[in-house]
Structures are given as structure tokens and as C-alpha cells.
Amino acid sequence: MTETKTKLPKWFQGQVYDEGAKVTNRFGGDSCYLSAEELSMYDFVIGASTMYEMGMHHDKLVTDLRKGLDWFRKNNAAAYMTLLD
């Protein structure tokens, strides 16, 4: 499987993985392969979503969650539709 290097944005402060992985949608069961950078952003988005659902509605959290979703839509629209839409 070939990985393309997609740069993470400067604002991203999450963990950056060395390898990508196959990820399965937790609701629908569909899956796709994510590069290391995409997996890093995916985990960030899922973590931020979970924090928001737990009632942590901090402005920075909401802003970064939106930025993460926008980044994903722009950099891998197919994976976004499979995993996050």
C-alpha cells in the first residue's frame, strides 16, 4: 500500500504517528486505510468529539475540532465520508 505524505497543519498539537493503519467506522462498519498523518488527525478528531460529547464545550476545542474536520475533508474526502460523515 502506498502512502502519500500529507502535511499536518501548524495548529495541530496531537500525537503524530509513524505509520498508518486501517480504520473502521464505529457506527457503520465500513473501513479504509489512513496514512500516518491522516490517522493522527482522525484520532485527534475522535478525541475532541468525545470530549465535546462529555460536555467540554471550550472555544478552542470546538475551533480545533472544526479545523480537524475541515482538514480531513480537504485532504481525504473519501475517508472523511467513510469514517466521519
Side-chain angles (χ1 to χ4, degrees), residues 53-82:
E53 290 167 5
M54 293 173 63
M56 298 177 198
H57 299 173
H58 306 292
D59 289 344
K60 181 166 175 24
L61 174 70
V62 173
T63 299
D64 287 351
L65 173 57
R66 288 184 183 143
K67 285 182 188 178
L69 290 169
D70 289 343
W71 181 92
F72 225 99
R73 252 186 246 112
K74 178 183 171 195
N75 288 282
N76 191 339
Y80 172 85
M81 294 299 288
T82 300

Side-chain angles (χ1 to χ4, degrees), residues 35-67:
S35 69
E37 294 77 19
E38 292 165 347
L39 183 59
S40 299
M41 185 63 77
Y42 173 80
D43 280 354
F44 173 81
V45 165
I46 294 300
S49 296
T50 300
M51 291 174 64
Y52 184 83
E53 290 167 5
M54 293 173 63
M56 298 177 198
H57 299 173
H58 306 292
D59 289 344
K60 181 166 175 24
L61 174 70
V62 173
T63 299
D64 287 351
L65 173 57
R66 288 184 183 143
K67 285 182 188 178

